[in-house]
Amino acid sequence: MQLVGIAAMVRLQRQLLLAFVLTHDKQSGVDRCFIATLETLIELVMACKRKQPSNKDMGGLNGQRLKGFCRFCGVRAELAMFAEGESQRDIDEHLRLSNLYCSAHRPKTPDGSWNPAYRQAMRSVTQFDLELARLSRQCAIRTEPLAKSGDELVDTYIFRYMLGQTLHLADEAELRNLARLMVDMKLTDRKKQILALQKLGFNQSEIARRLEIERQAVSKALRSIPDCFRISIA
Ligand SMILES: [Zn+2]
């Protein structure tokens, strides 16, 4: 950690964990222990980070607690909830409260079984971070596309979609929840392109031609998109 710094250390641990989940994890007892160990190491590194002296204000330490957001969404992590007296969890419960995850995304459920939502969120963490970064870049600006996705239509979609929202950069919880929803609802970049073109007045055949895909693929994609992601604003 002295060599690479805390942020790089956390990234490295996360990458190792992700690599394991994606390639080796068979959900065996040993695998679970290994994942739990890596999670503990990450928590340890995060704990070290929080122990760093802050420059000035008392807010530094609290600020470092990242408002206690779950790694995978905009809900606060269990420990943060507990610290603020909002948790209903019984204090005698032998389960350790999670520093890093909300109750929906904790690695294990209260009965000790493995939590599928954790695994799914871990698999999609890169996409979550990507969507969150795009939404964050765009959310405060109403004059031009700024998502910088590398694709003009995807940028157009995020620009138009955010016009219909009232989010600001400070609404971190809502932004994180929105990014989570996009990932969980599988609003892929392809679907964003289709929605952008539809908003620009293209019909399904024209969208298919433009994106060089089958028209059926366009209509299938459109059917699968939840209403909340359609661009409401004219
Ligand atoms: Zn969560």
Side-chain angles (χ1 to χ4, degrees), residues 1-147:
M1 272 167 74
Q2 219 165 14
L3 280 175
V4 302
I6 287 176
M9 191 70 185
V10 171
R11 271 201 306 280
L12 173 68
Q13 298 282 10
R14 290 231 163 270
Q15 275 165 11
L16 288 172
L17 179 52
L18 180 61
F20 179 77
V21 168
L22 292 178
T23 58
H24 294 291
D25 182 19
K26 300 278 191 297
Q27 299 274 295
S28 69
V30 174
D31 287 347
R32 288 167 195 208
C33 282
F34 183 69
I35 290 173
T37 304
L38 275 181
E39 285 290 352
T40 304
L41 281 174
I42 292 169
E43 282 195 41
L44 178 64
V45 175
M46 298 285 276
C48 292
K49 185 176 163 65
R50 284 193 295 276
K51 285 286 184 191
Q52 282 187 317
S54 67
N55 296 344
K56 323 179 189 146
D57 53 346
M58 291 290 289
L61 194 61
N62 287 328
Q64 293 250 358
R65 295 199 100 160
L66 299 168
K67 295 159 203 158
F69 285 123
C70 165
R71 175 66 183 87
F72 300 130
C73 72
V75 177
R76 276 161 312 144
E78 289 180 283
L79 189 65
M81 298 256 288
F82 182 75
E84 287 158 35
E86 289 178 33
S87 172
Q88 300 301 309
R89 194 172 288 281
D90 185 347
I91 197 166
D92 292 330
E93 197 173 335
H94 63 271
L95 269 169
R96 196 167 44 95
L97 293 163
S98 172
N99 236 342
L100 302 174
Y101 308 102
C102 70
S103 51
H105 290 123
R106 53 163 36 242
K108 289 192 171 180
T109 53
D111 68 11
S113 64
W114 208 242
N115 179 9
Y118 162 80
R119 207 153 175 271
Q120 200 208 339
M122 180 59 80
R123 284 171 173 273
S124 58
V125 71
T126 309
Q127 191 64 27
F128 170 77
D129 287 343
L130 189 66
E131 301 288 10
L132 181 60
R134 292 167 169 181
L135 292 170
S136 301
R137 281 193 289 270
Q138 184 67 69
C139 74
I141 316 288
R142 294 183 172 261
T143 48
E144 56 181 329
L146 266 182

Side-chain angles (χ1 to χ4, degrees), residues 126-213:
T126 309
Q127 191 64 27
F128 170 77
D129 287 343
L130 189 66
E131 301 288 10
L132 181 60
R134 292 167 169 181
L135 292 170
S136 301
R137 281 193 289 270
Q138 184 67 69
C139 74
I141 316 288
R142 294 183 172 261
T143 48
E144 56 181 329
L146 266 182
K148 295 183 186 160
S149 68
D151 180 278
E152 202 181 331
L153 286 172
V154 172
D155 284 0
T156 300
Y157 171 78
I158 293 172
F159 172 59
R160 293 291 196 104
Y161 178 80
M162 292 303 273
L163 278 181
Q165 308 292 311
T166 53
L167 291 174
H168 294 282
L169 202 53
D171 301 326
E172 206 180 340
E174 288 82 357
L175 284 169
R176 295 180 70 87
N177 282 331
L178 181 55
R180 178 81 261 150
L181 195 65
M182 279 189 172
V183 175
D184 287 350
M185 293 290 174
K186 302 193 166 45
L187 187 73
T188 58
D189 282 359
R190 176 62 90 200
K191 289 178 187 171
K192 295 188 191 88
Q193 292 174 323
I194 292 172
L195 286 170
L197 287 168
Q198 193 185 41
K199 195 67 207 170
L200 293 169
F202 289 70
N203 66 32
Q204 291 193 11
S205 306
E206 291 163 342
I207 292 172
R209 255 200 307 282
R210 169 81 186 258
L211 297 177
E212 297 177 339
I213 55 178

